[in-house]
């Protein structure tokens, strides 16, 4: 029985000697092994003589490993963070704490259960290992980082180590995402930059721990709604979509509310999602060299540290507003406003999908209310320093202003706010 994780053996005598442990685990293979009472290895098929179960810890620097007896020798288990792959086993003799981390949570729970049985002197049903040096290939299974930057190094005949947390496969000529990557459940950083990927599978959303996704310099034309509504909503912090062929992002993109860094440079963007202001954690935004004619009104709700919109085709604000008011309001408009204003839950199982899409794309008036097809549209300018601490100039003339589209749900709202329009 083996467990792949990071391990650190902390002596409880060090503080008394005025010394400290280094406080960092190393990749290790933990094994449960069996020996006779006289200290001889327990041979397969041997029937006689009492036997004991020991804990065997091997590292890349010490492949022969260190052995710890377990019977009536465990003082305490610390398992508060076992669901995060962390636990500590406190031994009586020698007086050490074995700190485990970055383990598969289910494997860790099974291993700890076996340790408890060994401590009590009970038989363990799982197959036990032998006292033999661990092969280097075993530590390959424990790798947390892999960087591949050429086609010749790309693994075709072997799988990726299941413990990977950081995977980079750049300049490999990939035209699609290797489905083997999507089984790496511990993955936190995925770098697929400088390839030829045209489409993203929705199953990327199954990588529940993914925090950084780099798709710079590919052939993407879209970012799917399915990804926006996946577990990436709660995990993804950094997204790089630079140097692709994306023309627009879906309004559901703004559901990725944990994003702090977003790079969209060198695409073909003709608009931002108009609910952009919902990305309240966003701090770094770069969308230089696109085709943005204006910014959405909710852009004003952002609070950025860095903003780069250089090289976009911003238009001059229009003098006359676009009036799309309906009198009286249609039943669809009235119902939509009521649902959104009162935050009534909705979804395709409740109402038809096309109505859900209408509600998702509703516009927000400057007064905070919503409008669907009945509104007045006006254009104003905004100094980008009002939403970002550091602003890259919008053009070569030293400008830091950009046009913003604003919506008004009624003539009253428009009249009350007309002084902000130019």
């Amino acid at each position: 029985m083996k467990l792949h994780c990071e391990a650190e053996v902390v002596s409880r005598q060090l503080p008394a000697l005025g010394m400290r442990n280094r406080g960092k685990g190393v990749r290790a293979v933990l094994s449960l092994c069996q020996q006779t009472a006289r200290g001889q290895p327990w041979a397969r098929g041997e029937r006689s003589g009492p036997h004991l179960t020991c804990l065997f810890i091997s590292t890349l620097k010490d492949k022969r490993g260190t052995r710890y007896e377990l019977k009536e020798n465990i003082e305490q288990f610390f398992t508060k963070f076992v669901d995060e792959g962390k636990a500590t086993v406190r031994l009586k003799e020698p007086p050490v704490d074995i700190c485990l981390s970055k383990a598969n949570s289910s494997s860790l729970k099974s291993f700890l259960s076996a340790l408890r049985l060994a401590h009590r002197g009970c038989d363990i049903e799982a197959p036990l290992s032998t006292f033999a040096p661990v092969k280097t290939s075993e530590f390959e299974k424990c790798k947390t980082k892999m960087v591949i930057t050429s086609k010749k190094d790309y693994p075709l005949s072997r799988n990726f180590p299941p413990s990977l947390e950081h995977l980079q496969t750049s300049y490999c000529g990939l035209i699609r995402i290797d489905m083997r990557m999507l089984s790496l459940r511990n993955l936190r950083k995925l770098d697929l930059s400088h390839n030829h990927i045209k489409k993203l599978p929705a199953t990327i959303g199954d990588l529940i721990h993914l925090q950084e996704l780099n798709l710079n310099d590919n052939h993407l034309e879209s970012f799917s709604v399915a990804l926006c509504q996946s577990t990436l909503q709660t995990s993804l912090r950094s997204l790089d979509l630079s140097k692709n062929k994306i023309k627009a992002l879906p309004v559901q993109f703004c559901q990725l509310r944990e994003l702090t860094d977003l790079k969209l440079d060198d695409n073909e963007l003709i608009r931002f999602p108009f609910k952009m202001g919902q990305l309240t954690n966003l701090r770094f935004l770069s969308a230089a060299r696109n085709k943005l004619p204006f910014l959405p009104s909710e852009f004003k709700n952002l609070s950025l540290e860095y903003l780069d919109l250089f090289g976009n085709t911003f238009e001059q604000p229009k003098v006359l507003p676009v009036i799309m008011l309906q009198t009286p309001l249609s039943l669809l408009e009235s119902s939509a406003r009521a649902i959104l204003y009162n935050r009534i839950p909705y979804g395709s199982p409740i109402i038809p999908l096309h109505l859900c899409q209408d509600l998702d794309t509703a516009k927000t008036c400057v007064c905070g209310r919503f409008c669907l097809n009945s509104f007045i549209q006006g254009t104003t300018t905004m100094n980008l320093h009002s939403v970002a601490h550091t602003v890259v100039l919008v053009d070569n003339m030293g400008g830091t202003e950009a046009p913003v589209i604003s919506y008004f749900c009624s003539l009253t709202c428009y009249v009350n706010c007309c002084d902000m329009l130019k």
Side-chain angles (χ1 to χ4, degrees):
M1 187 175 191
K2 294 184 178 181
L3 177 70
H4 297 85
C5 64
E6 285 195 359
E8 181 187 13
V9 179
V10 180
S11 172
R12 298 199 297 278
Q13 293 179 336
L14 288 180
L17 299 174
M19 302 172 62
R20 291 183 179 180
N21 223 63
R22 69 192 194 97
K24 186 177 181 181
V26 296
R27 297 308 300 181
V29 177
L30 277 64
S31 310
L32 284 181
C33 303
Q34 217 167 61
Q35 66 178 35
T36 64
R38 293 172 297 187
Q40 299 300 319
W42 178 254
R44 180 173 294 180
E46 189 174 343
R47 297 286 182 182
S48 59
H51 55 277
L52 302 172
T53 303
C54 294
L55 175 62
F56 198 54
I57 303 179
S58 304
T59 64
L60 197 57
K61 291 184 178 180
D62 181 19
K63 296 177 185 176
R64 300 187 64 84
T66 305
R67 183 175 60 193
Y68 300 94
E69 292 188 6
L70 293 174
K71 186 176 181 181
E72 298 180 359
N73 193 37
I74 298 179
E75 183 176 314
Q76 193 173 356
F77 289 95
F78 299 90
T79 59
K80 182 177 180 181
F81 301 104
V82 69
D83 289 328
E84 299 177 15
K86 301 177 183 178
T88 298
V89 180
R90 173 164 290 178
L91 299 183
K92 297 177 183 177
E93 188 60 40
V96 297
D97 290 347
I98 302 174
C99 305
L100 310 177
S101 61
K102 296 186 178 180
N104 178 277
S105 58
S106 59
S107 300
L108 178 58
K109 291 175 183 177
S110 300
F111 198 83
L112 293 176
S113 297
L115 290 182
R116 289 189 176 92
L117 291 174
H119 168 65
R120 297 168 188 160
C122 302
D123 289 334
I124 300 173
E125 295 182 0
L128 301 182
S129 306
T130 59
F131 287 103
V134 176
K135 297 179 180 179
T136 303
S137 59
E138 281 288 319
F139 293 98
E140 283 292 309
K141 299 178 183 178
C142 306
K143 286 183 68 173
T144 58
K145 183 177 180 178
M146 178 179 282
V147 177
I148 305 167
T149 55
S150 67
K151 287 183 180 181
K152 63 182 180 64
D153 296 328
Y154 194 83
L156 296 174
S157 59
R158 68 183 192 277
N159 286 328
F160 295 102
S163 57
L164 282 182
E165 296 178 6
H166 176 184
L167 174 61
Q168 177 179 349
T169 55
S170 302
Y171 303 100
C172 294
L174 298 177
I175 60 173
R176 64 178 64 89
I177 292 181
D178 191 332
M179 299 306 287
R180 293 177 298 168
M181 299 177 185
L182 305 181
S183 63
L184 303 174
R185 300 303 183 186
N186 295 320
L187 210 57
R188 284 170 165 75
K189 182 175 181 180
L190 179 58
D191 187 341
L192 298 167
S193 58
H194 308 291
N195 284 292
H196 308 296
I197 298 170
K198 296 182 179 180
K199 189 175 181 181
L200 301 176
T203 43
I204 288 184
D206 295 337
L207 299 174
I208 60 175
H209 299 298
L210 191 63
Q211 296 180 353
E212 297 182 39
L213 179 58
N214 187 349
L215 294 160
N216 174 43
D217 192 18
N218 277 279
H219 296 166
L220 295 173
E221 296 181 358
S222 63
F223 194 86
S224 72
V225 173
L227 284 177
C228 300
Q229 297 178 333
S230 67
T231 56
L232 296 181
Q233 289 183 2
T234 56
S235 66
L236 196 62
R237 304 289 190 275
S238 176
L239 177 61
D240 189 346
L241 295 172
S242 301
K243 295 185 179 180
N244 281 279
K245 300 178 181 180
I246 299 173
K247 293 183 178 180
L249 295 170
V251 66
Q252 292 85 357
F253 184 86
C254 301
Q255 295 176 13
L256 300 174
R257 298 187 183 180
E258 297 302 318
L259 274 180
T260 59
D261 294 72
L262 177 58
K263 297 181 181 179
L264 299 166
D265 303 315
D266 299 293
N267 276 278
E268 300 174 10
L269 285 174
I270 58 173
R271 65 175 182 272
F272 276 138
F274 61 86
K275 293 189 178 181
M276 196 79 175
Q278 293 181 357
L279 297 175
T280 54
N281 289 312
L282 198 61
R283 295 294 175 265
F284 181 104
L285 174 60
S286 183
R289 296 172 296 280
N290 279 279
K291 300 177 181 179
L292 297 171
F294 52 78
L295 302 177
S297 59
E298 288 198 20
F299 198 88
K300 299 176 182 178
N301 297 333
L302 294 178
S303 180
L304 305 171
E305 295 176 7
Y306 178 91
L307 175 61
D308 183 1
L309 297 177
F310 177 81
N312 279 280
T313 55
F314 288 126
E315 298 177 353
Q316 290 296 319
K318 296 179 180 179
V319 177
L320 297 176
V322 177
I323 300 176
M324 301 284 289
L325 291 177
Q326 300 173 356
T327 306
L329 293 180
S330 67
L331 179 59
L332 174 62
E333 183 78 24
S334 298
S335 302
R337 292 188 179 193
I339 289 172
L340 294 169
Y341 180 74
N342 294 289
R343 298 183 180 180
I344 299 173
Y346 63 88
S348 55
I350 304 174
I351 59 177
L353 180 61
H354 71 277
L355 294 179
C356 294
Q357 294 172 341
D358 286 342
L359 291 170
D360 287 340
T361 56
K363 302 164 182 63
T364 305
C365 175
V366 294
C367 71
R369 294 179 179 269
F370 302 92
C371 45
L372 202 63
N373 299 314
S374 177
F375 57 84
I376 298 177
Q377 175 184 306
T379 312
T380 184
T381 56
M382 175 181 69
N383 192 315
L384 298 178
H385 279 293
S386 64
V387 295
H389 182 268
T390 301
V391 177
V392 176
L393 300 180
V394 172
D395 51 43
N396 292 322
M397 303 301 292
T400 59
E401 292 191 342
V404 178
I405 293 292
S406 298
Y407 294 95
F408 306 89
C409 64
S410 66
L411 184 60
T412 302
C413 282
Y414 175 73
V415 171
N416 290 339
C417 301
C418 64
D419 58 333
M420 66 181 284
L421 296 176
K422 297 181 181 179

